[in-house]
Amino acid sequence: MAIYSYQRTKTPGPNGTTYYFRQPEDVTCTELAEIDGTYYIHVPDGAVLPEQHPEINLTAVTLTDELKQQIKLRSRPVQLIAERQQQMIRAQYPLDEELYFARIGVGAANGMYQPTADEVTAMQTFGAFVETVRQWGRDERAKIGL
């Protein structure tokens, strides 16, 4: 998997042409985010990119931790993954139930509350479920190079 950056460029004049990244015909690339006029896209392994306009300055990116964080913060695909994770959790556990587990966990962690065996079992079941949802999110972000 590769992440590339490019700049959309418009030629001057009233009938100027805007140059964009050209997608391969056989695979879908994902536009991840725009940061200060630079667009970041994910290109799947094995994709053969068509010739690009030199004006867009297509460049392979070395993804630093800082750049990865910036892209994640601005990325609509990452936001959609997070929304889907929330939906998956809410389909199994209403917000009130999650808050109930949070109150028990905070109380137990601070030594202010001793959960019952049933509460511990319910929190462990909830925690295991949420971790599967979190792993799904990590897997989805990995599919787009993040």
Side-chain angles (χ1 to χ4, degrees):
M1 290 185 218
I3 294 183
Y4 289 85
S5 67
Y6 75 97
Q7 286 82 39
R8 292 180 182 166
T9 304
K10 184 174 182 176
T11 58
N15 297 322
T17 301
T18 302
Y19 296 104
Y20 299 89
F21 170 77
R22 290 185 184 159
Q23 294 267 352
E25 289 186 24
D26 57 342
V27 295
T28 300
C29 299
T30 304
E31 187 166 285
L32 299 172
E34 180 267 328
I35 301 171
D36 299 326
T38 298
Y39 292 81
Y40 294 88
I41 54 168
H42 168 261
V43 178
D45 286 338
V48 177
L49 295 178
E51 187 173 333
Q52 303 290 320
H53 292 287
E55 294 88 352
I56 71 167
N57 192 28
L58 184 67
T59 307
V61 172
T62 300
L63 202 58
T64 64
D65 289 341
E66 181 181 340
L67 180 57
K68 187 175 184 178
Q69 268 314 100
Q70 288 180 18
I71 291 171
K72 282 177 153 182
L73 288 172
R74 293 171 175 86
S75 175
R76 183 66 181 143
V78 170
Q79 292 169 2
L80 291 172
I81 291 167
E83 288 172 15
R84 182 65 188 123
Q85 286 177 287
Q86 191 69 265
Q87 292 167 355
M88 292 164 77
I89 293 169
R90 288 295 159 260
Q92 293 292 318
Y93 292 93
L95 180 59
D96 288 347
E97 201 166 338
E98 184 173 352
L99 292 173
Y100 169 74
F101 292 137
R103 287 190 300 272
I104 291 173
V106 168
N110 289 311
M112 299 183 309
Y113 181 74
Q114 180 63 42
T116 66
D118 287 345
E119 289 171 330
V120 169
T121 299
M123 282 193 314
Q124 288 171 337
T125 301
F126 171 74
F129 171 74
V130 168
E131 188 51 39
T132 63
V133 172
R134 293 182 70 224
Q135 185 60 52
W136 174 86
R138 286 188 291 270
D139 293 344
E140 291 300 302
R141 286 187 300 275
K143 289 177 186 177
I144 57 172
L146 299 172

